[in-house]
């Protein structure tokens, strides 16, 4: 069976739609990403073409859209709130290191040091950390390790997403009660726009989708160029987020700019595609043969996350649920951190004001934690631990 380009896009959209509907019906208890990943994996096992995502013809656009969407994320976050997230960075680093340490300490006697060390790459972050470990394993001819790392990266969302979703649901209930009791409402976009900014806002008649998209792509292009000027020591996605925040604070970009341009949904769909493409590699035989080391690695990581979140929440005077959700971001990565926070905010916010209140409390922390662990810290950690393989 072979799909045309249009049919491939329709099939992928069908998986996402079912996942989104189930997430809505369960009030984000079951995440869209979790459901759609399970359905896509099962479909590949039942004979769906392995090149489904390539056939969509959108894969080449995905990496281009990520910096643009990062700019959009930046226009959703108050710059002052972003600077105030230093505690989130520390929590994310501490929980990520605790999860990796638990994998090595608990896992190495059970599955061997090579399996335990390489597991820290995908568990502490994402693609880049996994690639660092993969290169070392390939150089030593450890083919079983290569398959193991790929499986961990493919399956980590099945562990991290439910943990984060459950924790954020509990946190959202608490925030919902605080809002009902007279908690301070989140600052509205209208109120934010009233601040004095160096660059005056465009007249409404000039805020056409093409103008807004052009500005968004311009900022994204400048961010990527700036990252390249540093030799990509600062990741382009991180730079795009920073440029998005700065452009919004200066007044060059409008808040939630892709929403205003009616383009955020399509951009998110295109950008999500690469996060599912590796599922075509996970055969049932691979999953069965590596089930034990995978289970041990994830179990040890969860033990490390839960234990560290409990201790940190006591010292940092933050809720255990929010602390654990921040820690679980290393098992999710972007855009999963955004999707889970958005699903929970939409599910528990019965009014626009209530949704914005909940979102303003959980979204910045989830985004910052995801970038801290997946994009930056995991790369350094993998680069250090690979020396011990």
């Amino acid at each position: 069976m072979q799909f045309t380009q249009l049919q491939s896009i329709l099939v992928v959209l069908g998986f996402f739609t079912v996942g989104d509907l189930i997430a809505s019906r369960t009030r984000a208890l079951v995440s869209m990403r979790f459901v759609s990943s399970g359905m896509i994996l099962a479909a590949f096992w039942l004979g769906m073409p392995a090149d489904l995502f390539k056939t969509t013809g959108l894969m080449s656009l995905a990496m281009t859209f990520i910096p643009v969407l990062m700019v959009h994320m930046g226009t959703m976050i108050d710059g002052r709130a972003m600077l105030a997230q230093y505690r989130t960075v520390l929590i994310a680093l501490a929980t990520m290191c605790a999860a990796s340490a638990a994998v090595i300490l608990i896992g190495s006697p059970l599955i061997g040091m090579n399996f335990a060390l390489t597991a820290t790459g995908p568990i502490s972050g994402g693609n880049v950390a996994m690639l660092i470990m993969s290169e070392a394993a390939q150089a030593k001819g450890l083919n079983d390790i290569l398959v193991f790392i790929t499986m961990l990266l493919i399956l980590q969302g099945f562990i991290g997403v439910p943990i984060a979703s459950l924790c954020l649901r509990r946190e959202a209930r608490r925030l919902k009660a605080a809002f009902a009791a007279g908690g301070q409402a989140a600052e509205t976009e209208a109120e934010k726009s009233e601040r004095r900014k160096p660059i005056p806002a465009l007249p409404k008649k000039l805020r056409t989708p093409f103008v807004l998209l052009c500005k968004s792509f311009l900022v994204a292009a400048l961010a990527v160029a700036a990252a390249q000027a540093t030799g990509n020591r600062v990741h382009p996605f991180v730079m795009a987020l920073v440029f998005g925040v700065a452009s919004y604070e200066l007044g060059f970009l409008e808040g939630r700019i892709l929403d205003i341009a009616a383009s955020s949904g399509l951009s998110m769909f295109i950008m999500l595609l690469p996060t599912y493409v590796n599922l075509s590699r996970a055969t049932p035989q691979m999953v069965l043969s590596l089930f034990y080391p995978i289970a041990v690695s994830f179990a040890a990581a969860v033990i490390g996350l839960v234990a560290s979140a409990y201790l940190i929440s006591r010292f940092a005077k933050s809720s255990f649920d929010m602390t654990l959700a921040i820690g679980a971001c290393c098992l999710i990565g972007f855009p999963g951190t955004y999707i889970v926070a958005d699903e929970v905010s939409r599910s528990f916010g019965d009014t626009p004001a209530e949704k914005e209140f909940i979102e303003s409390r959980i979204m910045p922390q989830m985004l910052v934690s995801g970038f801290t662990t997946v994009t930056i810290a995991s790369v350094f950690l993998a680069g250090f631990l690979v020396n011990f393989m």
Side-chain angles (χ1 to χ4, degrees):
M1 178 174 60
Q2 189 64 42
F3 295 123
T4 65
Q5 182 179 20
L6 184 58
Q7 289 170 338
S8 297
I9 294 173
L10 178 60
V11 169
V12 176
L13 276 172
F15 289 128
F16 289 5
T17 299
V18 173
D20 205 27
L21 290 174
I22 293 176
S24 178
R25 292 286 294 177
T26 61
R27 293 174 68 88
L29 178 62
V30 182
S31 169
M32 181 278 283
R33 199 160 181 242
F34 180 78
V35 174
S36 56
S37 294
M39 292 175 62
I40 292 170
L41 183 61
F44 279 131
W45 288 356
L46 292 173
M48 186 170 69
D51 63 349
L52 175 74
F53 289 92
K54 183 179 179 181
T55 307
T56 64
L58 300 174
M59 296 300 294
S60 60
L61 289 176
M63 299 308 292
T64 300
F65 269 84
I66 292 179
V68 178
L69 198 57
M70 300 315 308
V71 169
H72 170 66
M73 296 296 106
T75 66
M76 294 174 62
I77 301 174
D78 188 324
R80 292 173 296 182
M82 192 74 173
L83 293 175
Q85 292 299 322
Y86 69 93
R87 195 165 63 169
T88 299
V89 172
L90 296 177
I91 291 173
L93 290 174
T95 50
M96 182 198 75
C97 290
S100 297
V103 171
I104 294 173
L105 294 175
I106 298 174
S108 56
L110 299 175
I111 60 177
M113 183 58 78
N114 276 342
F115 274 106
L117 280 174
T118 51
T120 61
I123 282 177
S124 67
N127 289 308
V128 178
M130 186 270 285
L131 288 173
I132 293 173
M133 294 297 188
S134 295
E135 288 175 354
Q138 192 167 14
K140 296 187 177 183
L142 303 174
N143 293 325
D144 55 341
I145 296 289
L146 287 171
V147 177
F148 170 68
I149 299 172
T150 301
M151 290 301 305
L152 281 177
L153 186 66
I154 290 171
L155 297 174
Q156 66 173 352
F158 287 89
I159 307 299
V161 169
I163 292 174
S165 183
L166 178 62
C167 290
L168 289 182
R169 281 168 55 85
R170 289 163 56 94
E171 183 71 8
R173 287 195 187 95
R174 188 185 66 79
L175 292 170
K176 189 180 179 76
F179 184 82
Q184 184 178 358
E187 190 177 20
T188 65
E189 292 300 328
E191 290 169 336
K192 290 177 185 177
S193 65
E194 289 177 0
R195 296 182 199 157
R196 187 180 298 277
K197 296 184 177 181
I199 302 175
L202 281 176
K204 267 193 174 181
K205 63 181 180 180
L206 294 182
R207 297 179 202 170
T208 67
F210 290 131
V211 170
L212 297 173
L213 284 173
C214 182
K215 293 202 297 180
S216 300
F217 273 81
L218 173 61
V219 173
L222 292 174
V224 172
Q228 291 172 344
T230 69
N232 286 337
R233 292 182 179 88
V234 179
H235 196 281
F237 300 166
V238 176
M239 191 70 82
L241 179 70
V242 173
F243 270 50
V245 174
S247 298
Y248 172 62
E249 289 296 321
L250 289 172
F252 179 69
L253 294 182
E254 290 75 7
R256 298 176 178 270
I257 189 164
L258 292 186
D259 288 340
I260 301 174
S263 304
S264 58
L266 182 59
S267 299
M268 178 62 70
F269 167 67
I270 294 174
M271 194 209 60
L272 272 174
L273 296 177
T275 67
Y276 293 87
V277 68
N278 284 332
L279 290 175
S280 62
R281 304 178 187 175
T283 65
Q285 294 75 22
M286 288 171 60
V287 174
L288 288 174
S289 66
L290 294 170
F291 179 80
Y292 178 68
I294 288 171
V296 169
S297 299
F298 282 134
V302 171
I303 290 172
L305 285 174
V306 173
S308 61
Y310 176 77
L311 293 174
I312 292 169
S313 65
R314 309 278 289 209
F315 288 103
K317 296 181 179 179
S318 61
S319 72
F320 168 74
D321 292 309
M322 195 66 231
T323 304
L324 183 54
I326 290 171
C329 287
C330 68
L331 290 170
I332 306 173
F334 183 84
T337 51
Y338 167 76
I339 292 171
V340 173
D342 180 63
E343 285 177 350
V344 171
S345 300
R346 285 191 286 112
S347 297
F348 282 84
D350 294 330
T351 65
E354 197 173 59
K355 174 187 177 296
E356 192 170 356
F357 177 80
I358 295 172
E359 185 181 73
S360 68
R361 266 62 178 179
I362 66 175
M363 181 70 80
Q365 296 185 75
M366 294 297 286
L367 289 177
V368 170
S369 176
F371 289 121
T372 300
T373 55
V374 175
T375 312
I376 304 172
S378 66
V379 177
F380 289 101
L381 182 65
F384 171 71
L385 291 177
V386 76
N387 297 315
F388 299 93
M389 286 181 61

